Amino acid sequence: MALSTGSNFIKPDDAFRAIVEAHRGLSEEQSADLNAALVLILANHIGELEVLDEAIALAKRQMLQASQQQQQQQ
């Protein structure tokens, strides 16, 4: 199975909203804990190390690109 990077949701905005709403009212620490738990649950659901490795690499690339863009804007 290859990593799917396109939206698989019929209503992607609803999925985004659900994630945002899950964080409402949480402290920064609780929010980070929720993210960590969600990542582990979804990684287990994927169940394939190759796909997980690909997702981790993509997330790191996106994070580094966003960080570089922020630095360039300053």
Side-chain angles (χ1 to χ4, degrees):
M1 170 200 290
L3 179 66
S4 173
T5 57
S7 179
N8 292 317
F9 290 99
I10 294 170
K11 296 181 178 181
D13 289 345
D14 289 352
F16 177 78
R17 219 174 281 113
I19 293 169
V20 170
E21 286 298 319
H23 290 269
R24 191 173 307 281
L26 299 180
S27 69
E28 207 170 306
E29 183 178 349
Q30 290 170 322
S31 185
D33 288 347
L34 174 62
N35 280 336
L38 186 57
V39 165
L40 292 173
I41 290 166
L42 293 174
N44 184 64
H45 176 75
I46 291 167
E48 292 190 27
L49 189 54
E50 276 185 24
V51 175
L52 181 60
D53 286 342
E54 192 176 344
I56 290 168
L58 176 59
K60 279 186 173 182
R61 280 194 309 273
Q62 289 178 343
M63 182 190 65
L64 292 172
Q65 287 172 352
S67 178
Q68 289 171 350
Q69 288 175 350
Q70 286 177 347
Q71 288 177 356
Q72 290 173 351
Q73 291 175 353
Q74 292 177 353

